[in-house]
Amino acid sequence: MKFRKRISEILTYAAVAWILYPFIVLAFFNYPSSDDYYDWMLIQKYGAFKATWHYYFNWSGRYFTHLIAFLLNPLQLGERMGGTFSAFLGIGFLVLDAFLVSRIIKSTFRIHQGVQTIFIVFLIAFFCYLPFPNETVFWYTGMIAYMPGITACLYWLVLHQKASKNKPERMLWFILPVFAGGSGELSLCLMGWLLVLNFDFKSLNRNYAILFGLFAIAAGFELLSPGSAERLRYFTETAGNPTRNIEFSATNSVKWLWHYLRDWTRSTPILCMALICAAGFKSDSNFRASAKDYSLWLLGFTLPFAMFFIFHFGTGMTQAPGRLINIVYLFLQVYLFISLFYIVQLFGNFKLENGFRLVWMAVLLFIFQASYSSRWRGALSDFSVLNAYAELMQKRLIQTNQFSAQSSSATLNLEPIAPIPFTSFFSELSSDSTHWYNEGYAFYHTVKSVRCSEK
């Protein structure tokens, strides 16, 4: 038994190291970009709290995530260290979320074995097949806008499933829904669904009622912020997009949900992994869902639609950004896994001999498959351009610093960067020196203005 446990631990550490290896290497070649510089400028002008207030009244109501974004802005560590720090933070969020999901599944189905294999399964799903790792792992602003709120939802569910909680855990049980409610529309949707899903309709729980009230207040402050109205006005009047158009929003939401759902169920191994895990794990779960439980669980399938709808309704844009697609992907991977796992547990009525060994063999095969065609393979392929990319970025930084030391009245002219690692995030400066990204970059480097020639 001890030998088998030791083998499991060795396999777990080896699998984690193998999956994360190319992303960790890329983290050392990561640089701040885009909003990171503009946010730095706001921090210097207003301070973190006033900058959050500025965004709340002028652009977005995500007051908690904006505050975190300002407090942890990577440029406080410099461009080299800051980029690496933000990439490791993005990697850390995905690893933590994979672990929390494994805890939730183990507790829900009362699985005998440890969480190691399920943890590896979701590391594979989250890292090897994430549609746009550049926007959720390597771009600080894109990552920090969504991941803290999503992680808060998952950790709240872990705490909610615990039979007994210590005092800090009881406090977090109240705080995390409030945090999720003020961290953006996506975490707000997920938290709202989790609260309804776990509500005991048979008896009114006073603490749960207070929790609902606090979450509703936090969500109200987020949704009704003046900044959200200003942002809507910008996309309506300045950009001329069809905002607040229900038909447009619903049509695009259904189109993208159908497109990605049929893609991810075939291009990722999530359904196969769920089937093997359900057949291979031993559990004491005798849970049988009622009609109400089925209805509330199926309600979760509307969350990806709601996430797309909110975006299309508020911006009038046709194509959703990669960071939004990533959150929909992460949710659907977990949702589909749990759904199929439950169906097999309920109707399969079979268990495989030496099932746990089979699960480990399957996990190793999934890792082997990912080494052929996946984001993991793409990250590994990026190694071929890293040296050239790093040299060009270093030359740009040297040129910028030399220009800053020599002149304060002229415009800094930069050449575009190429090649660029696909997996990492890089947003090029504009040829327009008045662009907000250029303004932030110029402010950080104390030059009057900067422009980049077009490719």
Side-chain angles (χ1 to χ4, degrees):
M1 181 65 72
K2 289 184 178 180
F3 176 74
R4 189 167 63 179
K5 182 179 180 181
R6 184 62 178 167
I7 289 294
S8 181
E9 290 177 354
I10 293 173
L11 286 175
T12 300
Y13 291 132
V16 171
W18 181 263
I19 293 168
L20 298 185
Y21 162 68
F23 301 96
I24 290 174
V25 172
L26 289 177
F28 289 102
F29 294 84
N30 196 49
Y31 295 85
S33 186
S34 190
D35 300 61
D36 303 341
Y37 285 95
Y38 188 78
D39 286 354
W40 167 265
M41 183 175 69
L42 292 180
I43 294 170
Q44 303 311 304
K45 289 183 176 180
Y46 304 117
F49 288 95
K50 286 187 177 180
T52 303
W53 188 262
H54 170 79
Y55 262 146
Y56 184 80
F57 277 90
N58 294 281
W59 186 247
S60 170
R62 303 169 189 159
Y63 46 92
F64 281 134
T65 45
H66 281 315
L67 180 59
I68 293 175
F70 288 127
L71 291 174
L72 298 181
N73 186 284
L75 286 167
Q76 298 182 72
L77 299 175
E79 288 170 299
R80 287 299 298 113
M81 286 293 295
T84 300
F85 161 76
S86 64
F88 272 105
L89 192 60
I91 292 171
F93 268 118
L94 278 186
V95 172
L96 177 59
D97 288 352
F99 177 73
L100 292 175
V101 168
S102 65
R103 287 276 304 274
I104 290 167
I105 292 173
K106 176 178 172 62
S107 176
T108 301
F109 296 103
R110 299 179 186 176
I111 296 172
H112 290 189
Q113 294 86 353
V115 300
Q116 295 97 324
T117 45
I118 303 178
F119 173 56
I120 299 300
V121 161
F122 281 99
L123 277 187
I124 295 171
F126 288 2
F127 280 93
C128 298
Y129 298 94
L130 186 69
F132 301 96
N134 53 347
E135 292 201 23
T136 299
V137 178
F138 294 98
W139 182 31
Y140 173 75
T141 304
M143 173 268 298
I144 210 71
Y146 297 110
M147 295 308 294
I150 299 300
T151 305
C153 295
L154 294 175
Y155 189 45
W156 177 86
L157 188 55
V158 169
L159 293 178
H160 185 72
Q161 290 180 330
K162 292 189 67 173
S164 59
K165 307 176 188 62
N166 56 37
K167 188 174 181 179
E169 289 174 338
R170 289 196 298 270
M171 292 177 63
L172 282 173
W173 187 79
F174 279 102
I175 292 172
L176 290 174
V178 176
F179 178 83
S183 296
E185 298 85 355
L186 304 191
S187 58
L188 189 157
C189 288
L190 178 57
M191 192 73 247
W193 175 63
L194 291 177
L195 288 173
V196 173
L197 183 66
N198 289 276
F199 181 73
D200 185 0
F201 288 88
K202 297 179 181 179
S203 60
L204 180 62
N205 184 296
R206 179 173 173 270
N207 288 336
Y208 215 85
I210 295 173
L211 187 68
F212 259 111
L214 293 174
F215 168 74
I217 293 171
F221 274 109
E222 199 277 327
L223 294 173
L224 301 176
S225 68
S228 297
E230 286 296 322
R231 186 180 186 188
L232 181 64
R233 187 176 296 110
Y234 166 81
F235 283 108
T236 305
E237 299 176 2
T238 305
N241 293 344
T243 59
R244 293 179 288 190
N245 186 317
I246 295 178
E247 181 181 0
F248 169 84
S249 304
T251 301
N252 279 279
S253 300
V254 170
K255 180 185 74 173
W256 290 119
L257 178 58
W258 168 243
H259 171 76
Y260 288 117
L261 184 64
R262 65 179 180 172
D263 177 27
W264 295 334
T265 52
R266 294 177 294 179
S267 63
T268 74
I270 191 64
L271 297 182
C272 187
M273 290 192 292
L275 178 63
I276 293 174
C277 288
F281 282 123
K282 294 181 180 179
S283 69
D284 289 332
S285 176
N286 54 5
F287 171 72
R288 295 295 180 268
S290 63
K292 173 187 69 66
D293 295 324
Y294 283 128
S295 299
L296 293 178
W297 180 254
L298 290 174
L299 183 65
F301 188 70
T302 66
L303 257 66
F305 171 83
M307 292 174 179
F308 281 124
F309 184 89
I310 291 170
F311 169 78
H312 294 302
F313 188 82
T315 67
M317 297 173 66
T318 303
Q319 176 62 54
R323 50 198 176 276
L324 168 58
I325 295 170
N326 285 343
I327 299 302
V328 174
Y329 168 84
L330 294 174
F331 173 79
L332 280 175
Q333 291 288 292
V334 178
Y335 186 84
L336 292 172
F337 183 95
I338 294 176
S339 298
L340 185 57
F341 194 103
Y342 175 75
I343 291 171
V344 174
Q345 292 270 316
L346 182 63
F347 298 108
N349 196 28
F350 67 88
K351 291 295 175 186
L352 301 175
E353 291 294 329
N354 298 316
F356 189 57
R357 294 181 182 179
L358 176 65
V359 171
W360 260 119
M361 291 174 61
V363 165
L364 295 177
L365 286 175
F366 291 136
I367 293 175
F368 177 72
Q369 173 63 28
S371 69
Y372 174 71
S373 176
S374 70
R375 293 302 184 210
W376 187 93
R377 177 65 178 268
L380 201 66
S381 299
D382 283 334
F383 288 5
S384 62
V385 301
L386 281 184
N387 288 333
Y389 174 66
E391 287 179 8
L392 289 171
M393 288 299 294
Q394 186 62 23
K395 287 181 180 178
R396 170 174 285 191
L397 295 179
I398 292 173
Q399 180 185 354
T400 302
N401 292 331
Q402 289 176 345
F403 186 90
S404 175
Q406 295 171 1
S407 175
S408 60
S409 59
T411 296
L412 169 63
N413 293 289
L414 297 172
E415 293 296 321
I417 300 292
I420 302 165
F422 173 80
T423 309
S424 299
F425 182 84
F426 178 84
S427 178
E428 187 57 274
L429 290 160
S430 172
S431 58
D432 178 9
S433 61
T434 63
H435 189 274
W436 54 266
Y437 178 15
N438 295 45
E439 289 182 358
Y441 187 89
F443 184 91
Y444 180 80
H445 289 285
T446 63
V447 298
K448 179 184 177 183
S449 60
V450 60
R451 69 165 61 97
C452 183
S453 58
E454 296 182 359
K455 295 182 180 180

